[in-house]
Amino acid sequence: MNFRCIIWAVFLISIVYNPIVGFGQQHQIVRLGDKREIFVDHYLIDKLTDVKMVMHTPRNEGAVLKFDSPWEGPFSGYTTIIKDGDILRAYYRGLPVPGDGSPMEVTCYAESKDGVHWIKPDLGIYNVRGSLKNNVILADAAPVTHNFCPFLDANPAAPKDQRYKALGGYHPGGLLPYVSADGIHWKKLQDSAVLKAKSFAFDSQNVPFWSESEQKYVCYFRTWTKDKFRSVSRSTSQDFINWTTPVPMEFGDTPPEHLYTHQTSPYYRAPHIYVAIGARFMPDRQVVADKEAIKLNVNPSYYKDCSDAVLLSTRGGNEYSRTFMESFIRPGIGLENWVSRSNYPALNVVQTSPVEMSVYVNENYAQHSAHLKRFSLRIDGFSSLSAPYNGGEMLTKPFVFSGKELEINYSTSAAGEIRIEIQDEKGKAIPGYTLKDAQIIIGNEIKRIVSWNGNESVSKIAGKPVRLRIYMKDADLYSIKFN
């Protein structure tokens, strides 16, 4: 075989094994299955024509939990919210005076049925300030109580007495593992750290969880870049004890920024997508003047910086998608919101009504008014594909799905609409699923099944490479899912 024949053979083989070629660009087929896709990155998007990806602003719902117990106080923080059945559990550091690693640091607990009204139960586990009447679930365990971060273990192989797991600690001891059957009574899993300090400070909230998509434990934790920016590294484990060598996270072609916390966790409706609502820290960016700080009665060491919340995402691996550089949650009106280490998001997004999910933020740090505030979004509503009145289109990359129907989460104006065409891998409309056949969708629903001439079934094209061509007019599309 001569050289020219070899070249042609290689080309033909590449066509056979990589058949998805269209619109002048070669694509690998996305294995979508029945997973929900939210639009926080460009994973599924091939082309946008007069359609934009828009980040939405969470709605301020007010303070829901005051850190006003004597063992809590101005330096309470690093909150984790866990939904366990019909109960929401909040875990946070209690600290009335500054001092990392102080014996006064305790881990506190509160619970709620609706995410709005919270109670601090008298647990009677630890004697704090001479009384068992308190909501403390961990004490006398510094520095673990500095940043104790629990999660509900979704690993089906997890023992019942380890239904909850947690990590806590920092330099030089590293992260120590804890387990619990009920999320209230905790015990140390072993005396030695599972992630050692070495070059990692761990001096922030270090976030572990069981990844359903990766089938392993994952921990995203605090580290520093060579340029002295607060950042994130990642490690994984099969057993929660033995962890891989940490790998620094990357942020694509974006300017470096300090991430004081990152709060990376699987989105509960699409656990293959990890949503991170992080605290962007701006050191020495002072808003509060010295005289104003005295009036606020803020601790003198905590008003010469400011911070807000930003939205990132990742699908595993060591790279975040920073689709949006703008602030996700801006500090509120009032100088009390512009002090150091305030506006730090709590870990986890939780559903708080049939149409709403909630994000929580620690506010008024280093002040006696320190509290946890709730913000709300529509379900899947971090961001959306948004089209103007004049209309636009989104074309997906080729993908293969499983299921019998297509579900969308969307909203339109009274004058707006959405229509969806299903194409083959080459971009040709599939008969019966053309834009002309598509039902005109108008309204505002978390779940709507798409149809074509009254037909909702897509079973006959399941398992075949297809694309979606989505026409939108004065409309937002928040998510899609095949069922």
Side-chain angles (χ1 to χ4, degrees):
M1 183 180 292
N2 61 31
F3 181 74
R4 182 174 295 179
C5 291
I6 292 174
I7 294 297
W8 272 105
V10 170
F11 174 75
L12 290 172
I13 290 171
S14 70
I15 293 297
V16 170
Y17 287 96
N18 298 281
I20 304 306
V21 181
F23 305 97
Q25 185 178 3
Q26 183 170 324
H27 292 283
Q28 290 185 342
I29 301 173
V30 175
R31 302 295 170 181
L32 189 61
D34 61 354
K35 297 191 293 290
R36 185 181 310 279
E37 282 297 317
I38 58 175
F39 299 105
V40 292
D41 59 21
H42 289 82
Y43 177 76
L44 194 60
I45 298 170
D46 184 18
K47 187 178 181 181
L48 297 176
T49 304
D50 296 322
V51 169
K52 294 181 179 180
M53 194 181 300
V54 175
M55 179 175 62
H56 296 284
T57 301
R59 185 171 58 251
N60 184 345
E61 303 288 359
V64 294
L65 184 64
K66 294 181 180 179
F67 302 134
D68 54 2
S69 298
W71 51 87
E72 296 174 345
F75 300 92
S76 298
Y78 294 150
T79 303
T80 298
I81 308 291
I82 296 175
K83 187 174 180 62
D84 185 0
D86 60 355
I87 296 177
L88 288 170
R89 307 182 190 274
Y91 302 83
Y92 54 96
R93 179 184 69 201
L95 182 61
V97 296
D100 291 358
S102 162
M104 297 184 72
E105 287 183 328
V106 295
T107 300
C108 302
Y109 172 83
E111 64 183 33
S112 173
K113 290 286 188 179
D114 59 7
V116 179
H117 305 92
W118 292 80
I119 62 169
K120 301 174 185 178
D122 288 333
L123 299 174
I125 301 174
Y126 288 95
N127 188 320
V128 179
R129 299 195 172 200
S131 175
L132 288 172
K133 290 187 174 182
N134 59 67
N135 61 326
V136 173
I137 55 109
L138 197 63
D140 305 319
V144 171
T145 44
H146 175 71
N147 53 9
F148 187 77
C149 189
F151 67 100
L152 183 58
D153 190 356
N155 182 357
K160 290 184 178 180
D161 64 347
Q162 298 183 18
R163 187 164 168 262
Y164 280 82
K165 291 183 172 67
L167 292 176
Y170 59 80
H171 180 82
L175 299 183
L176 290 165
Y178 279 71
V179 294
S180 171
D182 60 5
I184 295 176
H185 301 86
W186 292 83
K187 63 181 180 180
K188 194 185 298 183
L189 188 58
Q190 65 178 40
D191 291 328
S192 59
V194 294
L195 275 167
K196 305 297 191 296
K198 295 184 179 178
S199 60
F200 305 109
F202 300 118
D203 57 336
S204 179
Q205 194 166 359
N206 307 289
V207 178
F209 58 85
W210 169 260
S211 169
E212 179 183 318
S213 60
E214 297 186 67
Q215 289 293 294
K216 63 181 72 172
Y217 294 101
V218 180
C219 182
Y220 291 89
F221 59 90
R222 167 71 161 272
T223 187
W224 292 78
T225 68
K226 293 179 180 178
D227 297 327
K228 303 300 182 182
F229 280 89
R230 294 166 176 84
S231 191
V232 186
S233 288
R234 166 187 148 109
S235 181
T236 64
S237 172
Q238 293 293 341
D239 59 6
F240 199 64
I241 297 297
N242 301 287
W243 292 81
T244 60
T245 301
V247 177
M249 293 296 291
E250 298 178 358
F251 299 84
D253 187 20
T254 61
E257 293 183 319
H258 290 272
L259 274 183
Y260 209 103
T261 66
H262 56 84
Q263 310 302 39
T264 306
S265 61
Y267 175 48
Y268 73 98
R269 297 242 301 171
H272 61 294
I273 302 173
Y274 310 157
V275 172
I277 304 176
R280 174 169 55 186
F281 184 60
M282 306 298 292
D284 303 319
R285 192 172 177 87
Q286 185 173 345
V287 177
V288 180
D290 295 350
K291 290 183 179 179
E292 293 168 331
I294 294 173
K295 291 181 180 179
L296 287 176
N297 195 26
V298 61
N299 184 283
S301 299
Y302 291 93
Y303 68 88
K304 296 187 178 181
D305 319 290
C306 63
S307 57
D308 59 8
V310 292
L311 178 67
L312 307 85
S313 64
T314 179
R315 293 171 181 261
N318 70 319
E319 185 167 345
Y320 284 114
S321 293
R322 290 217 62 181
T323 306
F324 311 102
M325 294 300 296
E326 296 77 16
S327 178
F328 185 52
I329 303 175
R330 293 181 180 180
I333 297 173
L335 290 176
E336 67 274 13
N337 295 295
W338 292 87
V339 302
S340 301
R341 294 161 176 79
S342 194
N343 307 302
Y344 281 16
L347 174 62
N348 293 323
V349 177
V350 292
Q351 187 167 331
T352 46
S353 89
V355 297
E356 174 192 86
M357 58 188 190
S358 293
V359 177
Y360 296 84
V361 176
N362 285 93
E363 291 190 342
N364 294 21
Y365 192 76
Q367 301 166 73
H368 291 288
S369 55
H371 62 267
L372 188 70
K373 182 173 282 186
R374 185 174 78 93
F375 291 79
S376 66
L377 289 161
R378 75 177 286 139
I379 289 175
D380 301 337
F382 303 105
S383 55
S384 68
L385 297 178
S386 186
Y389 180 86
N390 289 334
E393 293 188 2
M394 186 272 273
L395 182 68
T396 70
K397 297 172 183 174
F399 63 87
V400 173
F401 72 90
S402 58
K404 61 181 182 180
E405 62 186 18
L406 173 59
E407 168 192 327
I408 64 171
N409 180 347
Y410 75 101
S411 67
T412 75
S413 70
E417 65 180 68
I418 294 176
R419 286 181 287 152
I420 300 178
E421 175 178 276
I422 304 181
Q423 303 177 347
D424 64 20
E425 70 272 22
K426 296 179 180 179
K428 183 179 179 182
I430 297 174
Y433 299 95
T434 69
L435 210 62
K436 190 174 180 179
D437 299 316
Q439 173 193 15
I440 297 176
I441 297 173
I442 306 169
N444 187 350
E445 300 175 83
I446 301 298
K447 180 178 180 179
R448 174 71 171 265
I449 304 303
V450 181
S451 67
W452 296 263
N453 290 329
N455 175 31
E456 295 181 346
S457 177
V458 293
S459 299
K460 67 179 182 181
I461 52 176
K464 301 176 182 178
V466 297
R467 295 175 183 258
L468 294 184
R469 175 192 173 194
I470 303 177
Y471 170 78
M472 304 169 60
K473 174 184 177 179
D474 199 7
D476 286 273
L477 182 64
Y478 300 94
S479 68
I480 66 170
K481 184 181 186 300
F482 286 90
N483 302 316

